[in-house]
């Protein structure tokens, strides 16, 4: 059986809610990690529990211990092992009563106020809730669990047609950021200036730009995104990030596309406040009017 025990480690109650944070311990391993050179920690599970950024502890019967942290982990896989292997994995999990809405690092689909309750394997459904996006542990086989997330606090967007996951983050690089500077900034991290495939993405980019600007964002000032007009007189754009397709984010009034301004071609895109309902504006390529504040970088999560 996959599940072997629940380690009873309790949070100090902050209310009368039935909120109990525990470490869920199984016979298992992280197949990409080697414990042979890991440091010894006889309290490996407790160490992970006490660190708010820790999501999983991997250790053996000799107390050699590896910890995995939310903000530095993108993908993680756990495989079931046998008792004789002497390998253990401990997930951070919370159990609660569905009559209350509780917030925590992890949640499961279980409801219990009994601290001695031990669920069966099929009832275990841990989800990481540390960041902006809930990240479920997905069971990829009878003996394997996996999760994938964007690096750090990058925002995850699930796209359809094609079905891909894209990670996006906004960076303010200073007033007057040029398109070349924007591309170089993203490239320095191994990322791309991202295109937008859904209105939700451009809304989030504008929201982040406003929050990071720290005061009222002036009209027309925003951040560079990918996209360059293909045909004069049409709103068709070439996406060069390698993963964006389609123009849904530009439809239904969500983009103000004028193509020219005082005789100047405007064939590239920024997310910004406009004088209409649109939040995507076309600007002159390269210079962008000299008023852009930064860039939205992105990548496809493999």
């Amino acid at each position: 059986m996959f599940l072997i025990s629940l380690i009873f480690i309790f949070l100090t109650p902050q209310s009368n809610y039935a909120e109990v944070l525990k470490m869920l311990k199984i016979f298992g391993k992280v197949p990409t990690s080697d414990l042979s050179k890991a440091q010894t920690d006889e309290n490996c599970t407790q160490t992970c529990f006490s660190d708010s950024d820790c999501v999983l502890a991997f250790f053996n019967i000799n107390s050699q211990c590896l910890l995995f942290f939310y903000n530095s982990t993108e993908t993680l896989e756990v495989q079931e092992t046998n008792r004789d292997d002497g390998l253990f994995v401990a997930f951070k999990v919370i159990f609660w009563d569905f009559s209350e809405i509780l917030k925590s690092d992890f949640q499961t689909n279980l409801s219990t106020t009994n601290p001695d309750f031990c669920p069966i394997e099929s009832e275990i459904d841990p989800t990481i809730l540390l960041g902006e996006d809930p990240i479920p542990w997905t069971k990829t086989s009878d003996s394997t669990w996996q999760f994938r997330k964007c690096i750090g606090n990058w925002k995850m967007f699930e796209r359809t047609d094609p079905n891909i996951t894209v990670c996006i983050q906004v960076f303010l690089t200073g007033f007057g950021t040029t398109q070349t500077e924007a591309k170089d900034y993203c490239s320095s991290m191994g990322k791309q200036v991202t295109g937008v495939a859904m209105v939700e993405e451009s809304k989030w980019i504008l929201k982040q730009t406003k929050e990071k600007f720290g005061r009222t964002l002036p009209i027309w000032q925003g951040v560079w995104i990918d996209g360059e007009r293909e045909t004069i007189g049409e709103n068709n754009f070439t996406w060069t990030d390698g993963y964006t397709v389609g123009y849904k984010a530009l439809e239904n009034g969500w983009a103000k596309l004028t193509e020219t301004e005082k005789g100047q071609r405007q064939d590239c895109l920024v997310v910004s406040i406009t004088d209409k309902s649109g939040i995507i504006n076309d600007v002159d390529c390269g210079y962008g009017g000299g008023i852009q504040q930064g860039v939205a970088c992105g990548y496809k999560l493999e």
Side-chain angles (χ1 to χ4, degrees):
M1 185 177 181
F2 192 44
L3 173 68
I4 62 172
S5 65
L6 277 173
I7 308 298
F8 299 127
I9 304 175
F10 294 83
L11 283 176
T12 301
Q14 297 180 0
S15 66
N16 294 323
Y17 297 159
E19 181 179 29
V20 182
L21 186 65
K22 303 182 181 182
M23 298 299 290
L24 184 65
K25 178 181 172 183
I26 65 171
F27 294 118
K29 66 179 181 180
V30 178
T32 56
S33 298
D34 182 7
L35 288 173
S36 64
K37 296 182 180 179
Q39 293 185 348
T40 299
D41 183 353
E42 294 181 355
N43 298 308
C44 186
T45 301
Q46 177 65 54
T47 301
C48 181
F49 176 82
S50 301
D51 191 312
S52 61
D53 194 43
C54 184
V55 296
L56 184 135
F58 173 37
F59 54 100
N60 58 22
I61 57 175
N62 298 319
S63 298
Q64 289 174 290
C65 170
L66 289 174
L67 302 181
F68 296 85
F69 300 94
Y70 179 85
N71 281 307
S72 57
T73 304
E74 287 186 86
T75 61
L76 190 59
E77 181 178 276
V78 171
Q79 290 181 355
E80 178 184 1
T81 60
N82 298 315
R83 181 187 297 270
D84 293 342
D85 294 325
L87 299 173
F88 309 91
V89 168
F91 301 84
K92 192 178 289 182
V93 182
I94 190 166
F95 295 87
W96 76 82
D97 186 336
F98 276 123
S99 65
E100 304 289 353
I101 299 175
L102 301 175
K103 296 181 180 179
S104 66
D105 290 350
F106 278 70
Q107 68 179 25
T108 75
N109 63 354
L110 306 177
S111 175
T112 179
T113 58
N114 180 2
D116 295 322
F117 175 76
C118 185
I120 62 175
E121 178 184 347
S122 61
E123 292 177 320
I124 303 170
D125 182 24
T127 299
I128 302 173
L129 294 176
L130 279 176
E132 186 172 353
D133 303 301
I135 311 297
W137 281 93
T138 303
K139 199 160 189 186
T140 55
S141 74
D142 288 341
S143 61
T144 305
W145 299 69
Q146 184 182 63
F147 88 87
R148 300 186 311 146
K149 61 174 283 293
C150 297
I151 190 70
N153 63 346
W154 288 51
K155 174 67 175 174
M156 181 185 300
F157 291 96
E158 301 290 346
R159 294 182 179 179
T160 59
D161 193 25
N163 293 315
I164 62 171
T165 301
V166 172
C167 300
I168 298 176
Q169 188 53 270
V170 171
F171 299 93
L172 298 192
T173 52
F175 181 78
T177 297
T178 67
Q179 191 176 33
T180 297
E181 290 169 340
K183 290 179 179 179
D184 289 346
Y185 189 88
C186 294
S187 179
S188 70
M189 297 182 288
K191 309 299 188 271
Q192 307 288 329
V193 178
T194 190
V196 289
M198 305 180 294
V199 173
E200 290 75 16
E201 294 173 7
S202 49
K203 283 183 175 180
W204 184 86
I205 290 172
L206 182 58
K207 178 175 178 288
Q208 288 293 300
T209 303
K210 289 178 177 179
E211 290 179 358
K212 293 184 177 185
F213 191 69
R215 55 189 187 277
T216 302
L217 184 68
I219 190 171
W220 308 120
Q221 293 185 27
V223 294
W224 289 97
I225 61 173
D226 190 33
E228 184 169 352
R229 183 176 276 106
E230 295 179 0
T231 308
I232 294 176
E234 297 184 23
N235 289 327
N236 54 356
F237 290 81
T238 297
W239 307 110
T240 63
D241 57 20
Y243 50 81
T244 298
V245 297
Y247 306 119
K248 289 183 179 179
L250 309 179
E251 298 172 352
N252 301 319
W254 287 107
K256 182 179 181 180
L257 305 175
T258 58
E259 192 171 351
T260 60
E261 178 69 24
K262 297 180 180 180
Q264 177 70 41
R265 296 289 313 166
Q266 295 189 316
D267 292 326
C268 291
L269 299 175
V270 298
V271 169
S272 70
I273 298 172
T274 71
D275 60 355
K276 303 292 183 181
S277 60
I279 56 176
I280 295 178
N281 182 37
D282 52 1
V283 298
D284 53 299
C285 298
Y287 186 55
I291 59 173
Q292 305 315 320
Q293 295 283 352
V295 59
C297 302
Y299 66 98
K300 183 173 73 170
L301 185 63
E302 301 293 348

